[in-house]
């Protein structure tokens, strides 16, 4: 009841007001905090991509990032990484950071023995990537206190997000990119996708825009406003971690 009421109140707040409330409460809740960005006055942001590697979307994103000379963070699904190992290795060879998004796109909050799933997913992704994996983003952002604890026990840092382009909804590349701008702020972690995943039984059609063009449009807008995009790992060198208590079904 309290959670439902809190959500209704939060929905009425502007993005600026929500950030002020979060900043006031996150210090108290930091022991249960997931990484949502950094605290900094620098105009820096992290670009993160979920649900790859996907032959339909990842190459276009990689081409755009290479042309723009930007390194980003890719939260990948283990089953896709094992199915497309060369594409994952291309992500790494081009200087990007790879992190875990799950074995598949199931909600961890609905799974049994979450710690074992995370340990197995981490091990399998490290086998394909050939390097240690330390960051994790739960599918759909679904996280409970129990799954947060399991994530930390597995040696992973939960990473969530702030601004998002909502690129599961169709539109022109410019329209999609613009969705992230109202919530943009210094130190933010921005959510995009290089793959497309929907819940089982969901008939949402695959968007028709080019994901590389969305990246180009977003970066153009960011740079026009003085922002420098980078990976999560690089972002963390520019300020103190901003941790937030992030729990949703």
């Amino acid at each position: 009841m309290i959670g439902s009421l809190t959500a209704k109140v939060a929905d009425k707040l502007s993005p600026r007001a929500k950030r002020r409330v979060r900043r006031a409460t996150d210090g108290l809740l930091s022991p249960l905090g997931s990484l949502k960005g950094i605290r900094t006055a620098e105009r820096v942001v992290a670009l993160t991509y979920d649900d790859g590697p996907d032959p339909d979307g990842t190459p276009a994103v990689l081409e755009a990032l290479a042309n723009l000379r930007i390194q980003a963070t890719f939260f990948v699904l283990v089953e896709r990484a094992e199915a497309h190992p060369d594409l994952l290795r291309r992500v790494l060879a081009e200087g990007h950071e790879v992190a875990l998004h799950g074995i598949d796109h199931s909600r961890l909050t609905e799974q049994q023995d979450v710690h074992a799933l995370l340990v197995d997913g981490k091990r399998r992704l490290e086998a394909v990537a050939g390097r240690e994996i330390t960051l994790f983003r739960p599918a759909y952002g679904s996280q409970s206190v129990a799954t947060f604890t399991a994530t930390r026990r597995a040696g992973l840092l939960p990473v969530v997000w702030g601004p998002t382009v909502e690129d599961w909804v169709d539109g022109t590349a410019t329209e999609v990119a613009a969705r992230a701008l109202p919530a943009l702020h210094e130190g933010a972690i921005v959510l995009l996708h290089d793959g497309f995943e929907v819940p089982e039984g969901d008939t949402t059609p695959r968007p028709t825009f080019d994901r590389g063009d969305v990246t180009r449009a977003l970066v153009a807008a960011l740079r026009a406003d003085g922002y420098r995009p980078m990976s999560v790992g690089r972002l963390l060198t520019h300020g103190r971690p901003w941790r937030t208590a992030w729990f949703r079904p």
Side-chain angles (χ1 to χ4, degrees):
M1 180 68 179
I2 293 175
S4 176
L5 179 60
T6 301
K8 290 180 181 178
V9 172
D11 286 343
K12 296 180 180 179
L13 298 177
S14 68
R16 184 183 295 273
K18 289 179 181 178
R19 289 199 297 273
R20 287 176 176 169
V21 171
R22 277 294 188 189
R23 287 180 186 276
T25 59
D26 284 345
L28 297 173
L29 299 171
S30 60
L32 293 175
S34 299
L35 183 69
K36 194 178 181 181
I38 63 167
R39 299 190 186 280
T40 181
E42 291 185 68
R43 290 177 93 73
V44 290
V45 296
L47 298 187
T48 64
Y49 294 85
D50 287 7
D51 297 351
D54 184 341
D56 291 332
T58 306
V61 169
L62 289 175
E63 181 180 353
L65 292 171
N67 291 339
L68 294 163
R69 298 174 184 257
I70 292 171
Q71 273 73 53
T73 301
F74 287 77
F75 288 88
V76 307
L77 300 171
V78 174
E79 290 182 349
R80 287 190 167 186
E82 291 173 337
H84 308 288
D86 290 343
L87 188 50
L88 181 75
R89 293 181 189 120
R90 178 183 167 188
V91 172
L92 292 164
E94 295 187 11
H96 303 291
E97 184 174 41
V98 165
L100 179 63
H101 194 37
I103 294 176
D104 56 21
H105 209 263
S106 302
R107 295 179 189 271
L108 274 190
T109 51
E110 298 175 354
Q111 304 302 309
Q112 302 295 320
D113 201 353
V114 170
H115 177 257
L117 287 174
L118 289 168
V119 168
D120 185 47
K122 183 177 188 293
R123 176 189 60 78
R124 288 166 61 182
L125 183 54
E126 288 174 343
V128 181
R131 63 186 65 187
E132 184 181 13
I133 302 298
T134 61
L135 304 178
F136 169 70
R137 173 176 286 159
Y140 305 108
S142 297
Q143 184 169 252
S144 65
V145 173
T147 65
F148 171 88
T149 302
T151 301
R152 298 299 288 139
R153 283 179 56 222
L156 295 163
L157 173 64
V159 180
V160 291
W161 65 88
T164 173
V165 296
E166 299 178 4
D167 49 1
W168 52 89
V169 180
D170 214 347
T172 68
T174 300
E175 291 168 346
V176 174
R179 295 170 189 158
L181 303 181
L184 195 65
H185 59 87
E186 294 86 349
I189 295 176
V190 184
L191 172 64
L192 304 96
H193 293 79
D194 59 316
F196 182 68
E197 280 284 339
V198 295
E200 186 176 352
D202 192 319
T203 58
T204 301
R206 180 181 285 267
T208 59
F209 52 75
D210 183 291
R211 295 186 182 274
D213 287 344
V214 171
T215 292
R216 292 184 184 90
L218 177 60
V219 171
L222 292 174
R223 287 177 168 170
D225 205 18
Y227 283 96
R228 287 184 292 139
M230 58 191 64
S231 68
V232 171
R234 181 63 61 85
L235 185 73
L236 286 169
T237 68
H238 286 265
R240 292 186 297 111
W242 171 16
R243 299 178 187 273
T244 189
W246 176 289
F247 302 113
R248 54 176 67 176

